[in-house]
């Protein structure tokens, strides 16, 4: 693989997202190994100032009022001619909401295969080998592009961020536009009662809690530990806890001293938000739950038995 | 407004997944299937929007032998869909690109303003079907949608796409369009089992051809494996009391004890 590795840059509110730096980190390593070059594509309006912070050999900046904020149709229209022309060996996209739109849209528009939910991309035998998560992290698949080239969407937190680099910055005219999806604005949630990103002990609860009434048990444990209760997405979706308590991809990223995961399976979207915790203790009735692959301590047990016993032990 | 919802079944994660003898797929012999969680939200949103301002809801599913597609579609009818259609025939769930080509072909003859899919499914390796179908049809698409409002006149929708930290982007989208639904405003409505059973006997499930298959995923699976879980974790065994004691000791080592001290 000696051609280009193209990275689609994601930015919001004037800042490059961490996941883009992670993609660039791996892209640079692959380019160094395979002899290719890393090209970042930065779409936006008035964003040229962000280009210098990208650790790529080259940054293509496409500026257009229609690209001021992310829009799936505008991004797709702008990226198709660039990828057609440069024919990169590999296109790396974050597995975010925008990334899902962009990657699958490009795959269909360009006839390039797509490997989704990647947690690793390496070069083996001269071509990319991609490790993808399936079944909410319960299965991993190693895949290759049959024709050698393709697009990969990467789960956040999979790679170390790229550092340094003073890229050559090149302005490119937008080749096409598509305004069928128009950005209207960003809506931000109101601050919650508790800021879970600042707590040092989080007792986090998932669908394994079964019933809303059982939350009392978890509240009692959190109180005994001087921590706060956080949750996986389904608990917030059900309205059992406010959205501001949700940990993960669409929730918050937390790094507490202790994260106790109770009845949380450990889907990739959840792990993204908590794998950086200093100490992870997981209780789950399924011995194969993926949460055990990031936990430091695990117990295969019913949380409804363990939690009251632990609260009692702490009280004594 | 004519709404189309794409439905699929996925392996039940409550059951243990095993790798087949080849080491490149799942052992499907004992596999049980459930409706893909996010599809239920997509259907609920479609029904809600139709109930609020009129129109029709059609459910499409691929005619996959493994699992119970008829039951899936009958459940759609029991929840309130107007029409259900099986597309093509397959032994197993095909890859996303093949599924998208089949749906794009079927949608050529199914009237639609808004196509709703689940945001993702747990078994897709080659990307999400929604944006693939949209691009094949030349429609715009938005993934991870948490809110849909149809504009007066029905020529566009306003949607929210969810980002990290509960931040959402608001977009206006021209119709026809495809949306990947992340969650519905109400919990998916209940379909009584007796009603589903009855509909499986009496309801009409239409069929449509899948058209010419696309080129497939373009991926070669070298191997599949169950990630070693618990190899890094120290597993605590014993009865709940013993587990609690050990966890309390681990916490105490780090200076975290009872009494609510921070
Ligand atoms: C775009 C997108 C963004 C997302 N963002 C997030 C996010 O920010 N945060 C997030 O968490 N998810 C997110 N998700 C959802 C994610 O994919 C999973 O669906 C979710 O994390 C599952 O939550 P859970 O582990 O609580 O539930 P489940 O996966 O249903 O797991 C429940 C677990 O509880 C165990 N259990 C059951 N009963 C008991 C018992 N009595 N005792 C002990 N264990 C028990 C089961 O074995 C199981 O492992 C997102 C999904 C998408 C598509
Ligand atoms: N084989 C299929 N049959 C019906 N709907 C499907 C199929 N594959 C994907 N879909 C739809 O597309 C959504 C996303 O699935 P996926 O692309 O597999 O993540 C699903 O939730 C369904 O709404």
């Amino acid at each position: 693989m000696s051609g280009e590795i193209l990275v689609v840059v994601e930015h919001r509110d004037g800042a490059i997202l961490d996941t883009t730096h992670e993609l660039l980190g791996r892209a640079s390593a692959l380019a160094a190994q395979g002899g290719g070059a890393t090209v970042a594509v930065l779409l936006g309006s008035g964003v040229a100032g962000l280009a210098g912070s990208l650790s790529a050999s080259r940054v293509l900046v496409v500026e257009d009022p229609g690209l001021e904020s992310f829009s799936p149709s505008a991004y797709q229209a702008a990226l198709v001619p660039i990828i057609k022309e440069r024919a990169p060996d590999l296109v790396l996209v974050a597995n975010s909401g925008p990334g899902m739109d962009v990657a699958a849209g490009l795959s269909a528009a360009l006839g390039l295969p797509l490997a989704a939910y990647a947690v690793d991309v390496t070069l083996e035998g001269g071509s990319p080998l991609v490790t993808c998560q399936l079944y909410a992290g319960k299965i991993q698949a190693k895949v290759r592009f049959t024709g050698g080239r393709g697009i990969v969407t990467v789960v956040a937190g999979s790679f170390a961020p790229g550092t340094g680099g003073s890229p050559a910055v090149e302005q490119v005219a937008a080749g096409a536009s598509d305004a069928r999806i128009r950005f209207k604005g960003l809506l931000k949630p109101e601050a919650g009662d508790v800021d879970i990103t600042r707590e040092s002990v989080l007792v986090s609860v998932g669908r394994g809690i079964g019933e809303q009434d059982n939350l009392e048990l978890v509240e009692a444990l959190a109180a005994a530990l001087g921590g706060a209760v956080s949750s996986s997405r389904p608990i917030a979706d059900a309205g059992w806890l406010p959205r501001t308590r949700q940990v993960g991809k669409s929730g918050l990223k937390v790094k507490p001293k202790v994260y106790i995961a109770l009845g949380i399976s450990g889907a990739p979207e959840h792990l993204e938000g908590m794998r950086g915790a200093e100490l992870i203790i997981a209780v789950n009735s399924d011995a194969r739950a993926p949460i055990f692959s990031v936990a430091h301590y695990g117990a295969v047990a019913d949380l409804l038995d363990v939690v009251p016993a632990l609260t009692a032990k702490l009280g004594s | 407004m004519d709404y189309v919802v794409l439905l699929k079944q996925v392996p039940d994660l409550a059951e243990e997944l095993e790798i087949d003898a080849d080491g490149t797929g799942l052992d499907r012999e004992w596999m049980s299937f459930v409706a893909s969680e996010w599809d239920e939200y997509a259907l609920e949103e479609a029904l809600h929007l139709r109930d609020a301002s009129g129109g029709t809801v059609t459910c499409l599913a691929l005619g996959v032998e493994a699992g119970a597609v008829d039951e899936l579609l009958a459940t759609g009818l029991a929840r309130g869909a107007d029409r259900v259609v099986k597309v093509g025939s397959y032994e197993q769930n095909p890859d996303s690109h093949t599924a998208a080509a089949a749906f794009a072909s079927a949608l050529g003859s199914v009237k639609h303003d808004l196509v709703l899919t689940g945001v993702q499914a747990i078994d897709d390796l080659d990307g999400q079907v929604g944006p693939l179908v949209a691009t094949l049809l030349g429609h715009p698409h938005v993934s991870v949608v948490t809110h849909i409002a149809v504009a007066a006149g029905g020529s566009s929708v306003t949607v929210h796409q969810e980002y990290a930290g509960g931040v959402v982007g608001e977009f206006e989208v021209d119709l026809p369009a495809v949306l990947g639904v992340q969650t519905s405003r109400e919990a998916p409505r209940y379909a009584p089992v007796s009603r589903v059973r009855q509909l499986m006997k009496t309801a009409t499930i239409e069929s449509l051809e899948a058209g010419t298959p696309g080129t497939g995923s373009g991926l070669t699976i070298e191997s599949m494996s169950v990630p070693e879980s618990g190899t890094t974790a120290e597993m605590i065994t014993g009865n709940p009391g013993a587990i609690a004691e050990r966890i309390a000791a681990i916490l105490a080592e780090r200076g975290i004890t009872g009494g609510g001290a921070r």
Side-chain angles (χ1 to χ4, degrees), chain A residues 221-246:
Chain A
L221 175 57
L225 289 168
V229 176
S230 59
S231 78
S232 67
R233 175 162 190 125
I235 302 301
D237 277 348
W240 294 357
L241 283 173
R243 184 69 69 194
T244 47
R245 303 286 189 103
Q246 181 186 318

Side-chain angles (χ1 to χ4, degrees), chain A residues 134-140 286 288 290, chain B residues 10-20 25-28 30-33 122-123 224-227:
Chain A
L134 279 168
Y135 303 101
K138 288 195 149 186
I139 300 284
Q140 283 195 346
D286 175 4
R288 293 229 199 162
Chain B
V10 293
D12 186 355
L13 289 187
E15 312 271 323
E16 223 163 85
L17 301 176
E18 306 276 355
I19 306 296
D20 66 11
L26 289 189
D27 187 346
R28 297 177 185 265
W30 303 109
M31 201 181 268
S32 57
F33 291 85
I122 53 171
D123 63 345
M224 271 201 191
S225 59
V226 177

